[in-house]
Amino acid sequence: MIVPMSCDVVLGIDVGTSGVRIAALDRDGRVCGMTAVPIEVPPPVGGRARQAPALWWTAVRDALAQLDLSGLAVQALAVDGTSGTIVPVDAGGAPLADASMYDDRATADLVARVEAVAPADTAARGASSPLARALEWREPPTRLLHQADWVAAQFTGRVGITDENNALKTGYDPVARRWPDWLGETGLDVAMLPEVVPAGSVIGHVAAEAARALGLPPGIAVVAGTTDGCAAFLASGALAPGDGVTSLGTTLTVKLFSDRPVVDAGRGVYSHRLGDRWLAGGASNTGGAVLLAHFTREALAELSASLSAAPPTGLDYYPLTRDGERFPLNDASLRPRLTPRPPDDATFLKGMLEGMAAIEASGYAALASLGATPLRTMRTVGGGAANAVWSRIREARLGVPMVAVDSEHAAVGVARLAWQGLGHAC
């Protein structure tokens, strides 16, 4: 009898807003298995977005239990989490309170305390700042962890390690590669900040007790992960400077791999560090929500099928659902521009698609004007990626080739980091 050889894989664990997804990825980047388990999102209490970390771990355990690893030899794992989600823990890693989620908002006085001392180019400013939210803990915890840090610690038993991407919004300086001195001036106990390592670094191994409980081989390497947004970018296959990924969802988000970091806090532009390269990005208020404000999904599909990309309509639209834009313009009073309204719906829709393509092109041009590597190739994720005529309009406007994405799943992207930790690129 021939005994089949096992296939080496790594596990990418994506802890997202409403669920956990795990991907098993082989050395060639093929997905050998994938599972997803939902997380019940509790309603906001008093306007605050909080969640018990136990919910994350239950979903991770359930997803692992459902993942068929027959014939697969797991070599490593890595975890990504929502950017800006933080949890206070004791020395053993036990939560001292529910996690403050990425979309939670700090009180105005604590936001002001941060902004009084924070430099203009830090990602720790603003109402959703995890640094400002951490100042609410009246009884200082032993450690502040991010969501991905806490989940990784459940595997290793090591508490107090984070990656450069998750640390960014808490005030970490990715250029100097350290926690800056000004953090202490906010009143934060800097001793509670975790040690920061580059994404893709080995931070430990799955502890024997965890391995037994989870049905995993002992000694699997645990690699520092990243944020869910960075993981989704890596999943797309964009790996070279000049590779861009646009997310066409409710809003329009652009991300660009660059040789250099760029920052424009006024427009929400920051750069995550990935090795010696950078992932720069910004988000516009235009996007699918504008289209759905004027058309049903069924009408969008029907009208799009009847459109051709050329010739252009000549309409100069700036599609928004309400006043205010953040990127590529920073203008809280910018009004939607959707006139003149042509008599037929098809032309109106095409004009909006052209307007969004112009905003997208301006976004990448804005990143380049700040010093980022100019756009060279384009990948697209999100619901709008399936709209063929929109893709043709965008390709003509951007002037770069469109490339199919490898995957839209962040779990695949963070699995690639796990392979990186083992010294293998896929």
Side-chain angles (χ1 to χ4, degrees):
M1 181 178 69
I2 299 176
V3 178
M5 296 180 62
S6 63
C7 174
D8 288 347
V9 297
V10 297
L11 302 181
I13 302 174
D14 168 41
V15 185
T17 303
S18 57
V20 167
R21 184 180 297 272
I22 302 180
L25 201 71
D26 72 9
R27 291 181 180 274
D28 295 321
R30 292 187 296 256
V31 176
C32 300
M34 185 177 292
T35 56
V37 170
I39 294 176
E40 184 178 350
V41 180
V45 176
R48 305 306 300 270
R50 302 293 172 88
Q51 199 171 77
L55 294 173
W56 312 334
W57 187 238
T58 296
V60 170
R61 289 201 317 260
D62 290 349
L64 277 172
Q66 295 176 22
L67 186 63
D68 183 5
L69 296 175
S70 303
L72 304 178
V74 180
Q75 304 298 312
L77 65 84
V79 183
D80 75 71
T82 51
S83 177
T85 294
I86 54 173
V87 57
V89 302
D90 64 18
L96 298 173
D98 284 349
S100 174
M101 299 301 290
Y102 68 96
D103 55 348
D104 200 6
R105 294 291 185 268
T107 57
D109 60 319
L110 296 180
V111 172
R113 193 194 300 182
V114 171
E115 296 192 347
V117 297
D121 61 354
T122 178
R125 300 171 69 94
S128 63
S129 163
L131 175 60
R133 287 183 273 123
L135 296 175
E136 295 180 347
W137 296 326
R138 300 187 185 280
E139 295 297 328
T142 304
R143 288 287 187 185
L144 177 158
L145 296 182
H146 305 91
Q147 185 177 45
D149 314 341
W150 187 86
V151 173
Q154 306 314 297
F155 288 101
T156 64
R158 297 187 64 194
V159 178
I161 303 175
T162 191
D163 64 88
E164 292 184 306
N165 303 153
N166 275 294
L168 184 69
K169 290 184 180 179
T170 312
Y172 179 74
D173 183 339
V175 177
R177 305 191 100 157
R178 67 182 184 90
W179 293 111
D181 295 337
W182 62 262
L183 288 173
E185 299 176 34
T186 66
L188 183 77
D189 179 5
V190 295
M192 67 190 249
L193 292 170
E195 174 189 355
V196 186
V197 300
S201 305
V202 175
I203 57 175
H205 296 82
V206 176
E209 183 178 351
R212 284 193 298 271
L214 298 168
L216 294 173
I220 295 170
V222 178
V223 175
T226 183
T227 65
D228 53 351
C230 290
F233 183 91
L234 293 173
S236 74
L239 297 172
D243 286 350
V245 176
T246 296
S247 176
L248 299 177
T250 303
T251 58
L252 186 150
T253 301
V254 302
K255 293 182 183 295
L256 178 66
F257 220 6
S258 173
D259 281 327
R260 298 169 294 280
V262 295
V263 174
D264 185 342
R267 290 187 284 182
V269 175
Y270 301 103
S271 297
H272 287 88
R273 186 163 197 152
L274 292 168
D276 290 327
R277 289 178 176 161
W278 303 84
L279 181 54
S284 168
N285 290 335
T286 196
V290 185
L291 301 178
L292 291 173
H294 295 273
F295 301 101
T296 65
R297 294 185 186 277
E298 294 74 20
L300 282 173
E302 182 178 346
L303 290 170
S304 295
S306 70
L307 294 177
S308 60
T313 64
L315 297 168
D316 182 26
Y317 287 167
Y318 202 108
L320 297 170
T321 57
R322 60 182 182 273
D323 291 0
E325 176 64 300
R326 47 186 171 160
F327 176 83
L329 304 173
N330 180 21
D331 185 351
S333 63
L334 183 69
R335 303 191 58 147
R337 191 168 64 245
L338 288 169
T339 56
R341 167 75 188 252
D344 65 295
D345 286 343
T347 304
F348 182 49
L349 172 60
K350 184 177 175 180
M352 283 198 282
L353 297 179
E354 291 172 342
M356 291 180 188
I359 294 169
E360 179 185 11
S362 295
Y364 284 108
L367 295 178
S369 72
L370 292 170
T373 305
L375 182 68
R376 294 172 184 166
T377 69
M378 168 54 56
R379 292 165 172 82
T380 310
V381 298
N387 190 313
V389 69
W390 197 0
S391 295
R392 290 193 294 273
I393 290 170
R394 292 171 53 236
E395 186 170 24
R397 187 69 187 232
L398 291 165
V400 299
M402 292 279 184
V403 180
V405 298
D406 291 349
S407 173
E408 290 198 23
H409 297 300
V412 172
V414 76
R416 286 181 164 165
L417 279 180
W419 272 122
Q420 179 183 315
L422 299 181
H424 177 77
C426 70

